[in-house]
């Protein structure tokens, strides 16, 4: 593989020399430029995967370089080096399409990590994502973020990846639990093995055992041929049990046994098979409370929770919003064959104000939708959904708690049902039809939302 190419632009010689030494040591091909104008000359004749540029320089600033790069080679990522305390201009630069900024003085491993992430996105945008929204299938998506909170998560991921430890990932819906599990798998020595995700809440209770453990031919009516279970199908790889809190008690026992003995028994079979899988579990419920209430087995809880990773909600790490928004913008505009280079400053400001009850997934959906509507080359605030512009999410808006009883009386059941239907519809719409997220927004279980969707005949195609 060819070395990735980085253009370093800085007017300070010592900085250039230091970066050159470091980046070459990391195996990159490095070009040095002394100021913005010099940098643009290089950009005219060469292709770079990444431009690392100082913000304030004589003869064309870092922002000029950014604009030049975005116009001439949109797949090239730009990271700005800024002086400490210039946060605001850096945010403006993110709206203009910079991948990220890093404040001087910085730690080398921090820079290294940011560069790796930017290059991963650049690779993804140039080669990997099939245009026109083709299925991304197995392609690993990068996890981006710059806040101290998400950096702590990255640290733990790096640390636990190499050991076989069980990891429990907790956090609100849409915070990136599955992505984190995938990142652990990919950075582990099982990366070449399968990564299997099982949503415990989505499999009907009576099928759970046969789905998870498999069954042999003739085990029950309809079991015509032997079927490998989901757990054995993760052999040599990583198994993610998502929404572990939805696992019924009798299955909790079986999972515990599997962990302890590393063996599974298919339904109707007498022969146990050995399984070698790394277990990652995830939940947006409070398992500790469930243990206290007696609905989740304590012994299983301790087995799963050897290391816990708590995914921080997006509202607690707003610094990540510009980076994530920019990343999604690049991804979706490439995927839809558009060339949206940047976003209006107001668009980013509105996003920074919004509380994101649906976390990163909601941001992703908002950007996807805005990209779909955008016809110009800058993402306009007009394409943000109305509830984002109002600056408040669900739970902040006034909900009517007093409904006057009409003089002629009313059908209470029917009135409540119509309110319930409307809230379910709203929740599904807000989460682009994602039932797990909608259930979370409404504070009900996945099973319960599925039941209500059926009961009210909500057609998911209408969402
Ligand atoms: N740090 C991140 N960088 C890039 N994309 C992210 C990040 N975090 C989350 N996403 C994206 O947001 C979406 C939701 O993430 P994910 O499915 O991992 O969340 P989750 O916590 O498992 O949600 P749920 O509880 O609803 O299952 C995914 O499309 C994922 O790719
Ligand atoms: Mg998930």
């Amino acid at each position: 593989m060819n070395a990735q190419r980085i253009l370093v632009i800085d007017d300070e010689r010592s900085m250039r020399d230091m970066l050159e030494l470091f980046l070459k040591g990391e195996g990159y091909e490095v070009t040095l430029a002394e100021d913005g104008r010099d940098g643009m000359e290089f950009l005219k004749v060469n292709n770079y995967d990444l431009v690392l540029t100082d913000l304030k320089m004589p003869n064309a600033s870092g922002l000029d370089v950014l604009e030049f790069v975005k116009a001439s080679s949109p797949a090239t990522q730009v990271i700005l080096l800024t002086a400490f305390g210039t946060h605001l201009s850096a945010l403006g630069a993110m709206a203009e399409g910079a991948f990220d900024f890093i404040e001087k003085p910085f730690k080398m491993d921090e820079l290294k990590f940011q560069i790796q992430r930017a290059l991963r996105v650049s690779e993804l945008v140039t080669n990997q994502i099939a245009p026109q929204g083709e299925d991304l299938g197995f392609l690993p998506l990068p996890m981006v973020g710059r806040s101290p909170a998400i950096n702590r998560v990255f640290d733990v991921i790096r640390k636990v990846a190499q050991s076989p430890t069980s990891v429990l990932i907790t956090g609100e819906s849409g915070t990136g639990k599955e992505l984190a599990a995938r990142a652990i798998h990919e950075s582990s020595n099982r990366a070449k093995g399968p990564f299997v995700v099982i949503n415990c809440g989505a499999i009907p209770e009576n099928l759970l055992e046969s789905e998870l453990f498999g069954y042999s031919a003739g085990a029950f009516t309809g079991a015509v041929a032997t079927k490998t279970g989901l757990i054995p199908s993760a052999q040599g790889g990583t198994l993610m049990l998502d929404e572990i809190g939805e696992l019924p008690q009798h299955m909790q026992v079986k999972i515990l046994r599997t962990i302890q003995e590393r063996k599974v028994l298919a339904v109707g079979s007498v022969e146990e098979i050995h399984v070698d899988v790394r277990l990652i579990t995830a939940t947006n419920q409070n398992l500790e409370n469930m243990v206290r209430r007696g609905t989740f087995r304590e012994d299983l809880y301790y087995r799963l929770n050897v290391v816990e990773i708590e995914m921080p909600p997006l509202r607690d790490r707003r610094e990540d919003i510009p980076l994530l928004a920019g990343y999604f913008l690049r991804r979706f505009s490439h995927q839809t064959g558009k060339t949206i280079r940047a976003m209006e400053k107001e668009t980013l400001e509105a996003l920074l104000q919004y509380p994101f009850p649906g976390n990163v997934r909601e941001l992703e959906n908002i950007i996807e939708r805005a990209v779909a509507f955008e016809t110009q080359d800058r993402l306009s605030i007009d394409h943000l959904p109305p509830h984002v512009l109002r600056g408040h999410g669900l739970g902040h808006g006034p909900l009517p708690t007093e409904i006057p009883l009409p003089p002629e009386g009313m059908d209470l059941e029917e009135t409540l049902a119509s309110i319930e239907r409307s809230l379910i519809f709203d929740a599904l719409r807000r989460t682009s039809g994602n039932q797990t997220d909608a259930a979370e927004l409404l504070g009900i279980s996945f099973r319960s939302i599925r039941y209500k969707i059926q009961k009210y005949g909500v057609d998911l195609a209408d969402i």
Side-chain angles (χ1 to χ4, degrees):
M1 199 181 110
N2 283 337
Q4 285 164 307
R5 309 179 74 181
I6 302 182
L7 174 64
V8 172
I9 315 177
D10 201 307
D11 56 335
E12 216 178 296
R13 168 111 198 245
S14 57
M15 187 56 119
R16 284 199 305 272
D17 290 349
M18 181 198 57
L19 286 170
E20 179 182 30
L21 193 69
F22 174 71
L23 295 171
K24 282 196 171 151
E26 292 292 316
Y28 299 117
E29 205 180 302
V30 184
T31 307
L32 302 177
E34 292 178 11
D35 60 33
R37 201 167 54 198
D38 194 19
M40 287 193 261
E41 290 305 317
F42 280 113
L43 282 160
K44 278 183 201 156
V45 287
N46 296 308
N47 285 320
Y48 298 96
D49 300 291
L50 176 72
V51 177
L52 205 57
T53 178
D54 192 16
L55 186 60
K56 277 214 180 90
M57 294 175 292
N59 303 326
S61 72
L63 289 182
D64 298 325
V65 171
L66 173 64
E67 199 183 326
F68 186 81
V69 171
K70 288 293 120 180
S72 56
S73 55
T76 303
Q77 306 302 319
V78 179
I79 295 181
L80 290 161
L81 303 169
T82 64
F84 179 72
T86 47
H87 236 79
L88 277 181
S89 49
L91 273 190
M94 302 279 290
E96 291 302 324
F99 176 80
D100 202 355
F101 64 92
I102 185 162
E103 275 172 343
K104 295 180 192 174
F106 45 80
K107 291 202 195 90
M108 284 326 233
D109 58 346
E110 206 183 310
L111 177 73
K112 176 175 160 181
F113 193 52
Q114 251 161 311
I115 288 178
Q116 282 172 349
R117 219 157 42 202
L119 287 171
R120 218 146 146 223
V121 170
S122 148
E123 214 173 290
L124 193 82
V125 171
T126 40
N127 326 321
Q128 290 194 316
I129 289 188
Q132 305 306 333
E134 271 174 45
D135 188 9
L136 298 180
F138 61 91
L139 291 178
L141 290 172
M143 212 174 167
V144 303
R146 67 183 331 278
S147 61
I150 202 73
N151 269 308
R152 280 194 289 275
V153 170
F154 293 154
D155 273 350
V156 182
I157 290 178
R158 274 194 297 264
K159 283 191 191 119
V160 297
Q162 293 308 326
S163 67
T165 327
S166 294
V167 180
L168 171 67
I169 307 177
T170 57
E172 292 177 15
S173 186
T175 45
K177 295 188 291 296
E178 186 168 336
L179 203 59
R182 215 173 262 281
I184 294 175
H185 172 71
E186 277 164 28
S187 354
S188 76
N189 51 13
R190 299 173 169 263
K192 293 223 157 40
F195 177 75
V196 178
V197 183
I198 303 175
N199 184 335
C200 302
I203 303 176
E205 224 179 295
N206 57 340
L207 297 182
L208 257 174
E209 184 175 356
S210 54
E211 287 295 314
L212 293 188
F213 297 97
Y215 53 80
S216 55
F220 47 83
T221 328
V224 202
T226 298
K227 189 177 170 230
T228 311
L230 289 165
I231 297 178
S233 75
Q235 192 74 266
T238 306
L239 172 71
M240 176 185 187
L241 290 178
D242 204 354
E243 302 196 29
I244 186 82
E246 299 281 330
L247 208 62
Q249 298 254 353
H250 68 279
M251 288 306 296
Q252 293 176 19
V253 184
K254 296 202 166 169
I255 293 292
L256 180 65
R257 214 185 134 257
T258 306
I259 298 172
Q260 283 167 338
E261 307 192 357
R262 311 195 145 268
K263 285 181 185 145
V264 296
L265 184 63
V267 177
S269 168
V270 285
E271 215 177 305
E272 288 189 315
I273 37 176
H274 176 79
V275 285
D276 165 34
V277 299
R278 193 232 181 112
L279 188 64
I280 299 181
T281 47
T283 180
N284 48 30
Q285 303 186 36
N286 186 328
L287 286 188
E288 246 174 327
N289 279 347
M290 292 181 68
V291 168
R292 245 174 264 132
R293 287 201 308 269
T295 48
F296 200 85
R297 291 184 65 104
E298 189 170 14
D299 44 8
L300 179 58
Y301 175 67
Y302 286 114
R303 277 282 178 168
L304 302 178
N305 188 13
V306 179
V307 172
E308 177 174 346
I309 298 181
E310 211 181 315
M311 298 301 297
L314 189 54
R315 63 180 169 279
D316 291 348
R317 47 176 169 121
R318 297 191 167 272
E319 311 95 292
D320 289 340
I321 294 175
L323 187 69
L324 284 163
Y327 160 62
F328 292 135
L329 174 62
R330 278 180 273 272
R331 225 177 80 195
F332 291 121
S333 56
H334 184 81
Q335 224 171 318
T336 51
K338 296 189 176 181
T339 46
I340 309 172
R341 296 188 225 290
M343 57 182 110
E344 284 176 356
K345 203 144 179 255
E346 302 79 66
T347 313
L348 184 56
E349 275 161 7
L351 292 172
L352 283 164
Q353 295 298 319
Y354 181 68
F356 291 102
N359 292 298
V360 185
R361 181 181 290 110
E362 188 179 10
L363 176 59
E364 186 177 20
N365 291 339
I366 288 171
I367 302 290
E368 182 171 17
R369 173 183 185 275
V371 166
F373 284 123
E374 190 54 76
T375 54
Q376 309 294 311
D377 67 351
R378 293 174 78 79
L379 202 68
S380 156
I381 189 168
D382 300 339
H383 302 311
L384 295 183
H387 67 270
V388 174
L389 297 179
R390 275 200 303 273
H392 53 67
L394 197 75
H396 296 250
L399 276 181
T401 47
E402 283 180 40
I403 302 175
L405 179 64
E408 70 281 10
M410 63 152 60
D411 183 330
L412 181 63
E413 296 285 318
E414 207 163 274
T415 308
L416 292 178
S418 84
I419 294 173
E420 190 173 54
R421 183 182 193 282
S422 139
L423 286 171
I424 285 174
F425 204 82
D426 263 8
L428 285 165
R429 184 162 281 168
R430 186 161 313 176
T431 58
S432 308
N434 183 312
Q435 297 178 37
T436 313
D437 286 1
E440 164 89 8
L441 271 179
L442 295 167
I444 59 179
S445 72
F446 183 80
R447 285 210 175 83
S448 155
I449 196 162
R450 284 228 308 204
Y451 166 77
K452 288 179 200 290
I453 286 170
Q454 269 173 11
K455 175 175 162 194
Y456 295 123
V458 176
D459 188 348
L460 291 171
D462 289 345
I463 302 296

